[in-house]
Amino acid sequence: MTPILKLEAISKSYRSVPAVSGVDFDLRRGEIHALLGENGAGKSTLTKIMAGVVQASAGRMLHHGHEVSFATPNAALDAGIAMVFQETSLVPSMTVAQNLYLGSEKFLNRLRGTYISAQQFLQSLNFGVDPTALVATLGAAKRQMVEIARAVQHNAEVIIFDEPTASLTPEEKRHFFALLRRLKARGVSIVFISHALEEALEISDRITILRDGELVITADTASFTRDSIIAAMVGRSLSATIYRERGPAALRKPGRKVLSVQDISMGALVRNTSFSVFEGQITGVFGLIGSGRTETFKIVAGIARRDFLRGGAITLDDRPVRYLTPYEAVRDGIVYVTEDRKSEGIFETMSVGENLFGGVLAAGKAKARLVRLAEVRALAADWTARLNIKAINANARVVELSGGNQQKVVIGKGLVQAPRLVIFDEPTRGVDVAAIAEIHQIINGLADAGLAVVVISSYLPEVMNLSDRILVCRQGRIVEELSPVEATEAKIMYAAVH
Amino acid sequence: MIFDPLLDLLRGKAVTIPPLDGAFRPNTALDDAPVFAQMPAPDNLVFWQGKVVASSGPALMAPGGEVLQRYGSDITALAVSPHGALTVGLADGSLSIAGAAVVLPTDVRCITALAYGADGRLWLANGSATLPPGQWAADLMQKNASGSVWVQEDGWQKLASGLAWPFGLLPDGAGVIVSEAWRHRLVRLEGGKPRAILESLPGYPARLAPAAGGGAWLALFAPRNRLIEFVLQESRYRLAMMAEVSPEFWISPALASGRSFLEPLQCGGIRMLGVHKAWSPSRSYGLVVRLDAQMTPRFSLHSRANGTRHGVTSVLDHQGQLYIASKGGDCILAPAPEGT
């Protein structure tokens, strides 16, 4: 059978740095093909070539056996190849329905008809999104749903998903996988990029693994195990270091109580939440999207404010605090490492050193009133080495780094402030497995050095393997505390949803 | 914020409940513990004449269910002197030592705890100046602070007054450590004013008992609850509730709960798909805390909202073996030493 799409010896370089070199790839009709690899392995570049976002430097692409080269994404879409991007490309000021039909509107467009048709279409996909809602008002998960719906709506015969499940809850993931199976049954071919290996093993028919821009292996999913995928992705087995079993002896004992949060409330998002954070220990926080875990810790970090009346109490070292600005929290040694690094964590067009120095400035720890380039360079050299940030050169802009290295910059930006309490919100979202191991090592190192560390994550294996205690958040409050020794995925999920 | 102390005058100070974490991290140790004896509402435990005995209503009972002594009203406190004399406080305000009645000051009508110091002095906690021990919930809801602590030394000397339901005594050298239930704290009395030594407890402290390895055991008979704290702030509602609702259905702490569909706090917040959630808000709870010599909590034993060994009012540590009276669970527990 002729593959629907076939890539032969495809190469692509950015500023003479090869992103993909000599990769062969083929996609059969009605298959789900998982594309795996570390960040920087070339997955996104390869899929962008398929979708016409970038053009290959060498090699050829065959569509139904005919050689093609898509100059624009629209040309690829006309040929039936759609791509759902990791960063959503919706127009925030337009409604869901308008976004769905953007570019394919009729000359005389009737808004009511658009809404009705969008409503029916979203219902057919089992997506609970209001078509009349402005995209700007939607959360990350719902935006992702709209993005997926838009690709499906174009009746594409090839749909490429780049990290589609990163922001979905487990329930939404089930719906999404059911949708993929329905699309597959209709003969649609799907390319599926994910960092969650379990998802690839669960949903895909074949798996292709890339490493450093080169093809490592393409084979049927049944022939892979989790460990063999990781070994192929990174060239070594990381499974034991990232997802190791932990006995009671491996857990750190709590030190002094640094932070005590009692009954804090913020509207309907955070409701009478109470917990403590101890020195020398990693406190893991698990909760589904919308459970208020991020908002709770944003209150602690002074980014959000608790209710003025009956808002509860926060004490830092037994001293009551109520921060009006994040600066006050930073001054007290509290650092929040954001989950949304692109919009809140980094200045994309600035260099690593400038970003790190931004952290120093925010904490008011700069040595002089004027920015001294020597200080910036020294800081960059120091933290690049400490956190093993891989950049092309010292002046590389952060946007040019891989997701894992960008995340390390965000972490470094917090750590230069010499904190006592570090709050990591989804520290490994959109980060490849090798970088996950390094980031986990950084986080463990902080706890071992006696800092109080909080890790918020919706990835259960991460919470279970990194934390010394696990707090479960549900509907705006911490409902349960579990020890990693006794915790199982079922126990944590039960607390998170009941 | 620096203006918070001023703003608190206008908006009211935040009343918050400390989280159950650190030394108070929930577990199921009390529910997992073996039952040493079953009897209705065991209250105070002492080791007397070579065996553990407990008060249960008006009866003094041995673990096998044998009634050793029956009194005219409920027993509210027990203690054994260094010479082995059993000292019994009753709900009618009377006190007897080795069967002989003791004359008490007229102010003492609510004996909640008795304890002998190493020097042989008898300490007495008088929970309330106005209400008997059985009406402890009313004392809380009236927000009383009329309790006192007395010591028998050349007659009875009042050591402190204005205490909010003193419920436990632990003689400590020249002074005594007192658990003050409605203020959720332990205070030390030695001469002058009470000095807080452990505050912000997540429940209402009951009796204290010396621990074999030094330090103490503290029983907390009920958990603090946000709804109850709210009701305590809403005076009109609270007074109306006390006037119109039967006390067993008040929104107040309880030694046991979930036994009647008329009780407050039910539905989805408590039970989901037929399963009683361990973390649900509850009016009753089982909690015993191990305190070190500095009265710092070290670890705790729990019976959570979905457990049954609630309302722990007394603990006895006899040569390293722990006995725990669960008044709400109608049993005495004897956890294995390694479990404690």
Side-chain angles (χ1 to χ4, degrees), chain B residues 242-303:
Chain B
M242 291 169 70
E244 295 164 19
V245 180
S246 177
E248 62 266 36
F249 304 128
W250 285 356
I251 296 174
S252 69
L255 297 175
S257 59
R259 293 177 176 177
S260 163
F261 69 92
L262 292 169
E263 285 183 14
L265 284 178
Q266 293 183 46
C267 305
I270 304 287
R271 205 175 276 275
M272 183 69 79
L273 300 173
V275 178
H276 194 143
K277 294 185 283 183
W279 50 88
S280 59
S282 178
R283 294 197 303 142
S284 65
Y285 199 90
L287 182 54
V288 174
V289 188
R290 177 72 162 90
L291 305 170
D292 66 12
Q294 284 72 45
M295 294 294 122
T296 307
R298 284 289 158 225
F299 64 89
S300 51
L301 314 173
H302 296 242
S303 172

Side-chain angles (χ1 to χ4, degrees), chain A residues 337-339 341 403-404 407-408 411 424-431 435-436 439-440 443 454-458 462 466:
Chain A
V337 179
T338 179
E339 64 175 330
R341 63 173 171 265
Q407 186 66 25
K408 286 185 204 164
I411 293 171
F424 291 96
D425 197 351
E426 300 285 3
T428 56
R429 176 181 282 179
V431 168
I436 288 175
I439 290 171
H440 283 185
I443 295 171
V454 175
V455 175
I456 305 169
S457 178
S458 21
E462 177 167 80
L466 205 55

Side-chain angles (χ1 to χ4, degrees), chain A residues 236-266:
Chain A
R236 61 190 184 280
S237 177
L238 281 175
S239 188
T241 54
I242 303 181
Y243 304 112
R244 64 190 191 278
E245 290 285 321
R246 299 169 79 198
L251 301 181
R252 298 178 191 85
K253 297 275 176 290
R256 207 164 46 85
K257 188 189 283 187
V258 178
L259 178 80
S260 177
V261 171
Q262 295 185 12
D263 289 341
I264 59 164
S265 296
M266 185 177 71

Side-chain angles (χ1 to χ4, degrees), chain A residues 75-282:
Chain A
L77 199 57
D78 289 344
I81 301 170
M83 182 160 179
V84 177
F85 292 94
Q86 194 174 351
E87 292 87 24
T88 60
S89 51
L90 303 172
V91 183
S93 56
M94 295 171 85
T95 63
V96 169
Q98 284 171 323
N99 267 283
L100 273 181
Y101 297 107
L102 191 64
S104 60
E105 299 97 334
K106 292 173 186 154
F107 181 69
L108 288 172
N109 206 24
R110 198 166 64 98
L111 206 56
R112 189 161 171 270
T114 309
Y115 286 147
I116 291 169
S117 127
Q119 175 80 48
Q120 289 171 345
F121 179 62
L122 288 166
Q123 274 179 1
S124 75
L125 297 178
N126 220 350
F127 283 179
V129 186
D130 176 11
T132 62
L134 280 180
V135 166
T137 63
L138 301 182
K142 296 219 163 168
R143 285 185 194 206
Q144 185 76 40
M145 286 182 187
V146 179
E147 191 86 15
I148 294 165
R150 195 160 70 166
V152 177
Q153 192 264 337
H154 281 108
N155 282 325
E157 59 177 356
V158 175
I159 303 180
I160 303 161
F161 291 101
D162 190 356
E163 285 270 356
T165 55
S167 52
L168 301 186
T169 63
E171 180 71 15
E172 288 162 349
K173 268 184 206 169
R174 288 170 72 93
H175 284 306
F176 175 68
F177 286 161
L179 169 69
L180 287 193
R181 290 192 184 102
R182 283 206 301 277
L183 291 171
K184 182 185 157 181
R186 276 168 30 187
V188 176
S189 308
I190 291 158
V191 180
F192 178 83
I193 300 177
S194 176
H195 284 123
L197 307 185
E198 293 85 358
E199 290 176 5
L201 286 167
E202 181 188 339
I203 195 78
S204 66
D205 302 307
R206 285 197 299 157
I207 292 176
T208 290
I209 298 172
L210 300 178
R211 185 170 69 227
D212 299 331
E214 291 175 4
L215 176 70
V216 178
I217 188 172
T218 296
D220 287 342
T221 303
S223 63
F224 285 104
T225 63
R226 184 192 172 80
D227 276 352
S228 68
I229 292 176
I230 291 175
M233 282 167 73
V234 298
R236 61 190 184 280
S237 177
L238 281 175
S239 188
T241 54
I242 303 181
Y243 304 112
R244 64 190 191 278
E245 290 285 321
R246 299 169 79 198
L251 301 181
R252 298 178 191 85
K253 297 275 176 290
R256 207 164 46 85
K257 188 189 283 187
V258 178
L259 178 80
S260 177
V261 171
Q262 295 185 12
D263 289 341
I264 59 164
S265 296
M266 185 177 71
L269 293 171
V270 179
R271 303 185 305 161
N272 294 109
T273 246
S274 298
F275 60 91
S276 306
V277 178
F278 302 87
E279 266 179 358
Q281 205 183 38
I282 299 175

Side-chain angles (χ1 to χ4, degrees), chain A residues 10-13 18-23 41-43 45-46 49 210 213-214:
Chain A
I10 287 285
S11 298
K12 171 74 186 172
S13 302
V20 175
S21 59
V23 172
K43 308 180 300 284
T45 306
L46 194 68
I49 292 169
L210 300 178
E214 291 175 4

